[in-house]
Amino acid sequence: MLNALVTKLAAEETPNPLIPAWYDIIWSGLWFLVILVVVWKVALPKLTAMLDERSAAIEGNIAKADEAQKQAEAALEEYTRQLAEARTEAGEIREAAREDGKKIVTEAKDAASSEAARITATAHTQIEAERQAALVSLRSEVGTLAIDLAGGVVGETLSDDARATAVVDRFLADLEASEKAAQ
């Protein structure tokens, strides 16, 4: 019997181990179709929605970044313009300050010159007044000395003040005239 079974088995062809049996192919194909339908109907729409959301978020972020870059460029241009205006204004202020400084120096020099002229004029007036006072005092003292000396030489006192004053004035006038002639 064993011999018969071996012969029977030898008479049948043995299947190729690389090719599966027909029932395995059918069941595998059926499950493949089920999995394909589930992926097609459930997983693929969810994956597509998720990818669309990511794409929209990325595009939104790119748009926001572009807008932010445009705003930054506009702000930079505005800053540059304001900086240029500030520099121009600072230059104008500096120039105005220089002009004002020159005017102040000129005004101070003019005021100092005027004050110096006023002080000089006041000093000249005061000197002239003091000279006149000294001349009057000197005339009086010289007259008194001359009268005393003349009285000592003549031996009499000159008691007439009007006469004595006239003599002294004449003497001083003659003295001044001789000084002027000598110059």
Side-chain angles (χ1 to χ4, degrees), residues 67-77:
E67 182 64 29
Q69 185 176 5
K70 287 178 184 176
Q71 289 176 354
E73 288 173 357
L76 179 62
E77 289 175 8

Side-chain angles (χ1 to χ4, degrees), residues 36-170:
L36 183 67
V37 167
V38 168
V39 166
W40 187 269
K41 293 292 184 179
V42 176
L44 190 61
K46 287 183 181 180
L47 182 65
T48 306
M50 183 182 71
L51 290 176
D52 287 344
E53 287 176 14
R54 274 198 167 175
S55 175
I58 290 171
E59 289 174 2
N61 288 340
I62 289 173
K64 287 178 185 176
D66 287 343
E67 182 64 29
Q69 185 176 5
K70 287 178 184 176
Q71 289 176 354
E73 288 173 357
L76 179 62
E77 289 175 8
E78 178 67 19
Y79 171 75
T80 305
R81 184 187 60 77
Q82 289 177 352
L83 183 61
E85 288 177 1
R87 285 182 178 159
T88 304
E89 185 177 342
E92 291 171 357
I93 290 171
R94 240 182 278 120
E95 191 61 35
R98 283 187 190 125
E99 292 298 321
D100 289 346
K102 288 177 184 177
K103 287 178 184 177
I104 290 171
V105 167
T106 304
E107 289 172 1
K109 284 181 180 179
D110 291 344
S113 297
S114 299
E115 184 66 19
R118 186 189 62 79
I119 290 172
T120 304
T122 304
H124 284 303
T125 305
Q126 186 177 2
I127 290 170
E128 184 61 31
E130 287 177 2
R131 189 175 81 67
Q132 291 297 330
L135 278 176
V136 168
S137 173
L138 186 60
R139 280 181 185 235
S140 143
E141 287 179 23
V142 168
T144 305
L145 285 173
I147 291 175
D148 287 342
L149 286 172
V153 170
V154 174
E156 298 180 17
T157 356
L158 298 170
S159 56
D160 186 12
D161 284 338
R163 191 181 217 186
T165 304
V167 168
V168 169
D169 286 341
R170 189 173 40 90

Side-chain angles (χ1 to χ4, degrees), residues 7-18:
T7 347
K8 185 177 175 190
L9 282 177
E12 286 183 21
E13 282 186 34
T14 58
N16 187 354
L18 296 177

